[in-house]
Amino acid sequence: MDRTQWQADQIRGVAMALRHWFEIADTEERMRELGIKGGPKNKKPPSDKRLHPFALTALPPQIVHLKHDAPVTTLHLLQIVYDDGELRADPWRWWFAWISIEMISRLGPDPSGRHVKDFIRKDESLKHVRQTAARWLASSEARIEQVNRDFRTLLKQALDEPGAPADQDSLIQRLGQPLLVFIEAMASEAGRISAGITEQLAERVERM
């Protein structure tokens, strides 16, 4: 076994161990438990209907957090979730971190964030999340600014660097469908987190 394969296997192993320190709860189920959303187990109407749209815009499909007894090393490996100056408390970032750990555990290191990006963009289980990507956008002013920057970049590319006709068609399609821009922004944020976690895992393996 060469050094590269050994390192990849070690990173997967650390990611598998890291999964143990996450606690995952279904967002809709938790909303029912708290009386924010009605359902089969909660026939009565929500006590405060104003909380329902807030939860839908602010929270990802799963609520993710670390167990209270997680070791300090776990916090170091996930420091990219904390270190973003604008979105460090964002529950979506924790959800992306959880997805990243799952991807790394299954597929190996993700230094470019490609595995997670592809999952966010294409996986059938996230179809509903993609259809409601505007909720993700609306849950943070910083995210709106981020998407605006991405959109301006696309617009500049369409105007200044037309490239091949196929590229032009792709850009025009995305500019004409803002939802695609939102999904791409979601995938990019998830990819940055996955790449950062991979980097931290690789550094830890190097010290082993």
Side-chain angles (χ1 to χ4, degrees):
M1 181 185 298
D2 62 24
R3 173 72 179 178
T4 301
Q5 184 60 49
W6 176 86
Q7 184 182 46
D9 289 344
Q10 293 298 308
I11 290 173
R12 286 189 63 200
V14 176
M16 288 178 185
L18 191 56
R19 286 190 306 180
H20 169 75
W21 300 109
F22 282 89
E23 287 190 345
I24 317 297
D26 181 79
T27 299
E28 289 198 11
E29 184 63 30
R30 182 59 56 86
M31 288 168 66
R32 292 189 185 96
E33 291 173 359
L34 297 174
I36 297 173
K37 181 177 182 178
K41 298 180 181 179
N42 184 9
K43 299 292 185 181
K44 61 182 181 180
S47 56
D48 190 342
K49 293 182 179 180
R50 293 173 298 178
L51 294 175
H52 190 187
F54 169 77
L56 286 176
T57 57
L59 300 176
Q62 294 168 303
I63 300 173
V64 178
H65 60 89
L66 291 178
K67 296 179 180 178
H68 67 88
D69 55 344
V72 175
T73 53
T74 299
L75 302 181
H76 175 72
L77 294 173
L78 296 170
Q79 68 179 2
I80 188 170
V81 184
Y82 292 99
D83 283 353
D84 188 288
E86 295 177 327
L87 301 171
R88 68 180 64 182
D90 185 356
W92 282 87
R93 289 177 65 82
W94 282 103
W95 187 58
F96 291 147
W98 164 245
I99 292 173
S100 298
I101 292 298
E102 283 290 306
M103 294 290 100
I104 295 168
S105 297
R106 297 174 191 176
L107 304 175
D110 193 18
S112 67
R114 180 179 58 83
H115 296 323
V116 172
K117 284 182 181 179
D118 287 346
F119 182 74
I120 297 292
R121 291 168 179 152
K122 303 174 184 177
D123 195 90
E124 187 64 24
S125 69
L126 297 185
K127 182 177 180 180
H128 175 69
V129 177
R130 289 191 292 272
Q131 290 173 337
T132 57
R135 294 175 177 174
W136 167 83
L137 173 70
S139 64
S140 168
E141 289 186 12
R143 186 175 291 121
I144 292 173
E145 293 175 2
Q146 172 192 331
V147 172
N148 281 339
R149 289 193 297 268
D150 292 344
F151 195 83
R152 284 195 297 269
T153 299
L154 280 174
L155 184 59
K156 186 176 187 303
Q157 185 180 351
L159 295 175
D160 298 343
E161 301 176 12
D167 293 336
Q168 290 184 50
D169 292 342
S170 175
L171 283 167
I172 290 170
Q173 181 186 34
R174 292 171 66 187
L175 288 168
Q177 300 183 48
L179 181 60
L180 297 179
V181 180
F182 302 160
I183 292 169
E184 185 63 28
M186 288 176 66
S188 295
E189 184 176 348
R192 284 191 293 271
I193 290 173
S194 188
I197 290 174
T198 292
E199 182 179 358
Q200 292 298 321
L201 295 178
E203 289 182 2
R204 179 168 177 79
V205 166
E206 284 296 323
R207 294 195 297 267
M208 291 172 62

